[in-house]
Amino acid sequence: MRGLFITFEGIDGSGKSTQIGRLRDHLVDKGYKVVLTREPGGTSIGEKIRKLLLDRENSGMHPLTELFLYLASRVQHTSEFIIPHLEQGVTVISDRFHDSSVAYQGGGRGIGVEAVEKLRNFATLGLEPDITFYLDIDPTLARERMVSRMFDRLEAEKLDFYQRIRNAYNKLLRIYPNRIKLIDASGTPDDVWKRIERHIEHLWKDRRSR
Ligand SMILES: Nc1ncnc2c1ncn2[C@@H]1O[C@H](COP(=O)(O)OP(=O)(O)OP(=O)(O)O)[C@@H](O)[C@H]1O
Ligand SMILES: [Mg+2]
C-alpha cells in the first residue's frame, strides 16, 4: 500500500520540528516505515537552493525570485524524494510544503494567496498531502520561543510579516477544510502532541475503511 504523506505548517517557532519528532517516534513504535524531510531542501539540488534563500547577504532578493526558487526546489523534492518513497509504502513527513509558499510568499511577501495558489499543481506535480497539521500560534509567543536562536534572513522579519502569514494560513484553512487540521500550538509540547495524536488515530481508521 502507498505510504501516507503528512505535512506540517506554521510560522517559525510554532513547534513543527518538535512535533514532527514526536510523530515520527509514535509511528515507528507502531511499526510504520517513516522518513522525515524538509522544505526547501530534501535533495542535493534543493539544499543548494535553500542556502541561496536563507543567506543574509541576499537581502535584495525580489519576492518573485524567492517564490520561484521555492517552487523549483519543491518540484525536485516531490519528484526525486517524496513520490518514490510513497510508492515504496513509506510514510513521508515533510516540514513544510506548498502551503508555506502560499503563506510566506503569497501572504507575507504580498504576491497574493490566489496567485501562489494557481501555481500549486506545477510545483507539487499534483501531489496533495493526506493530512496537514497547521500549528497556529501568536507570532509574539513564537518569537519568545526562539529568542536564543541566531535569526536567519527570513526569521529577522518584523512581526507584521508573520501576522500576514498567519492570515494567509487562515485563508488556506477555509480552502482546504478537510485536509488541513488547525492545531492550537500554545501550551506545552505534550499539550500540542495530544491535539495532533487525536487526528492520527482517525487517519488510519479512515484508510482501513476505504
Ligand atoms: N510547546 C512548546 N512550548 C515551549 N517551547 C516550545 C514548544 N514547542 C517547541 N518549543 C521550543 O521552541 C523553539 C521552536 O520550536 P521548533 O524548533 O520545534 O519550531 P519550528 O516550527 O520547527 O521552527 P522553525 O520554523 O524555525 O524550524 C525550540 O527551541 C523548541 O524547543
Ligand atoms: Mg523547525
Side-chain angles (χ1 to χ4, degrees):
M1 196 159 68
R2 200 179 159 89
L4 282 175
F5 181 33
I6 303 172
T7 62
F8 277 75
E9 294 287 345
I11 64 170
D12 308 87
S14 55
K16 297 181 297 300
S17 300
T18 305
Q19 296 302 325
I20 285 171
R22 295 209 170 193
L23 177 58
R24 191 252 319 266
D25 293 348
H26 175 83
L27 296 180
V28 167
D29 277 352
K30 290 194 155 197
Y32 294 98
K33 276 191 225 151
V34 181
V35 291
L36 303 188
T37 187
R38 66 172 185 181
E39 287 223 334
T43 65
S44 69
I45 294 170
E47 289 299 336
K48 285 177 190 152
I49 298 175
R50 181 187 179 96
K51 283 206 184 85
L52 278 174
L53 283 163
L54 298 184
D55 188 344
R56 275 173 163 269
E57 283 183 13
N58 291 338
S59 59
M61 191 181 287
H62 191 285
L64 286 170
T65 307
E66 180 181 290
L67 171 66
F68 286 115
L69 285 172
Y70 277 107
L71 302 186
S73 114
R74 183 162 309 120
V75 172
Q76 197 66 32
H77 187 216
T78 304
S79 63
E80 187 183 324
F81 188 89
I82 300 174
I83 290 175
H85 277 96
L86 295 175
E87 284 175 349
Q88 286 164 20
V90 178
T91 287
V92 177
I93 306 177
S94 184
D95 190 335
R96 302 190 176 283
F97 199 54
H98 191 75
D99 297 326
S100 282
S101 291
V102 176
Y104 279 71
Q105 284 71 51
R109 299 278 184 230
I111 294 169
V113 165
E114 294 74 16
V116 182
E117 205 33 51
K118 280 189 187 142
L119 299 169
R120 176 180 294 269
N121 281 337
F122 287 109
T124 63
L125 307 171
L127 178 71
E128 277 282 292
D130 293 288
I131 193 167
T132 298
F133 294 107
Y134 165 51
L135 303 189
D136 183 51
I137 194 167
D138 188 288
T140 314
L141 180 55
R143 175 142 305 185
E144 280 165 16
R145 287 182 180 176
M146 297 195 303
V147 279
S148 60
R149 284 195 353 204
M150 279 272 290
F151 281 3
D152 64 29
R153 188 175 67 86
L154 290 176
E155 288 172 345
E157 298 289 341
K158 294 199 177 68
L159 280 174
D160 65 321
F161 173 71
Y162 286 101
Q163 199 50 59
R164 289 198 299 278
I165 292 169
R166 198 181 188 201
N167 294 342
Y169 273 127
N170 282 323
K171 281 192 190 171
L172 282 168
L173 279 166
R174 290 194 291 274
I175 301 175
Y176 301 102
N178 295 324
R179 171 174 64 85
I180 306 180
K181 308 301 176 195
L182 173 63
I183 302 292
D184 172 3
S186 65
T188 66
D190 279 344
D191 294 336
V192 181
W193 167 246
K194 278 184 200 127
R195 294 170 194 142
I196 292 173
E197 198 181 8
R198 281 205 303 270
H199 293 285
I200 288 294
E201 303 305 326
H202 290 301
L203 194 60
W204 264 276
K205 259 184 224 151
D206 284 356
R207 181 156 247 232
R208 277 193 295 271
S209 63
R210 256 192 265 145

